[in-house]
Every structure is written in C-alpha cells, then in structure tokens.
C-alpha cells in the first residue's frame, strides 16, 4: 500500500509542472532606431520590473532584426514598433500597437491582463 501512495504522490508531483498554467508574458517587438521604443525605454522600462503588471506578465524583448524565437513563431509582430503582445500558454491574448505614452500604457496593459484572468494584484 505504501508503494502505491508513493507512486501516486510522485506521479501527481511530476504532472503538476506540466499541467500548471504558465504565466502571461509581455513581449516587446522592437527595432533599432525606433524613437517610440526609446521613449518606452526612458519612461516605462526603468520601473516596469517593480510593478504588479511585471509580476503578472514579465517583459521580454525581441529584436525584429534577429531570428524570431521558436516559441513565438505563430505571433505576427506587425509593421509597427514597438508592438507589445501579451502571450499566455503560447497564444496571443492581446496587443498594444505602438507606445501610447506612460499615461495610457498601464491602463491598456491592465485591461488585457484583466480580460485574460491575469489581473495585476494591485489593480
């Protein structure tokens, strides 16, 4: 009986990381010479890591001039930079085209995260 309990505990324990929902991720598609990317980098990037939004969707940068990572092969960044795409479990759940300025960025991101069930804790 003890072997069955141990086997069951191991099976469940090993299965949890596979079945657990992966957190959302904020992908920033950017390109060199992008003035709006530079503005985001000046206004938001220095504080983003300390926000509730960052805990719900960490920022990941992708250079449009580099090969796209395999896990983002199905995501079309579009023609504008920056383009922010919120991805959860490998699929797009929302995007922000361009950088709307610090007054609007967090509101738009919060709306995407709330609709996906990943609402930032402080909201």
């Amino acid at each position: 009986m003890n072997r069955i309990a141990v086997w069951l505990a191991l099976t469940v324990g090993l299965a949890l990381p596979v079945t657990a929902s992966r957190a959302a991720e904020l992908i920033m598609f950017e390109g060199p010479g992008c003035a709006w990317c530079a503005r985001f980098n000046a206004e938001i990037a220095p504080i983003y890591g300390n926000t509730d939004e960052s805990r719900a969707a960490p920022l990941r940068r992708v250079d449009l001039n580099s090969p796209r990572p395999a896990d983002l092969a199905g995501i079309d960044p579009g023609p504008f930079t920056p383009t922010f795409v919120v991805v959860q479990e490998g699929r797009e759940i929302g995007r922000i085209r361009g950088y709307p300025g610090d007054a609007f960025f967090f509101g738009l991101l919060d709306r995407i995260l709330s609709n996906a069930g990943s609402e930032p804790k402080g909201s």
Side-chain angles (χ1 to χ4, degrees), residues 56-116:
L59 178 64
R60 177 176 165 196
R61 296 168 178 269
V62 175
D63 185 337
L64 288 177
N65 292 335
S66 298
R68 189 154 326 128
D71 64 324
L72 300 178
I75 306 292
D76 178 12
F80 304 107
T81 57
T83 293
F84 301 90
V85 179
V86 180
V87 176
Q88 188 170 33
E89 297 179 0
R91 66 180 185 85
E92 178 177 337
I93 58 172
R95 74 173 48 208
I96 301 169
R97 290 177 180 90
Y99 173 61
D102 60 349
F104 295 102
F105 179 79
F106 284 109
L108 293 170
L109 181 57
D110 287 348
R111 182 177 301 155
I112 292 169
L113 293 172
S114 294
N115 289 341

Side-chain angles (χ1 to χ4, degrees), residues 6-57:
V6 169
W7 178 82
L8 183 59
L10 284 172
T11 303
V12 170
L14 292 174
L16 283 177
V18 174
T19 59
S21 143
R22 292 191 325 216
E25 190 173 36
L26 176 63
I27 310 297
M28 177 184 179
F29 290 99
E30 59 188 335
C34 168
W36 291 102
C37 299
R39 188 166 167 201
F40 172 85
N41 288 334
E43 295 175 356
I44 302 293
I47 63 165
Y48 187 77
N50 298 324
T51 64
D52 292 327
E53 290 81 3
S54 174
R55 286 182 276 293

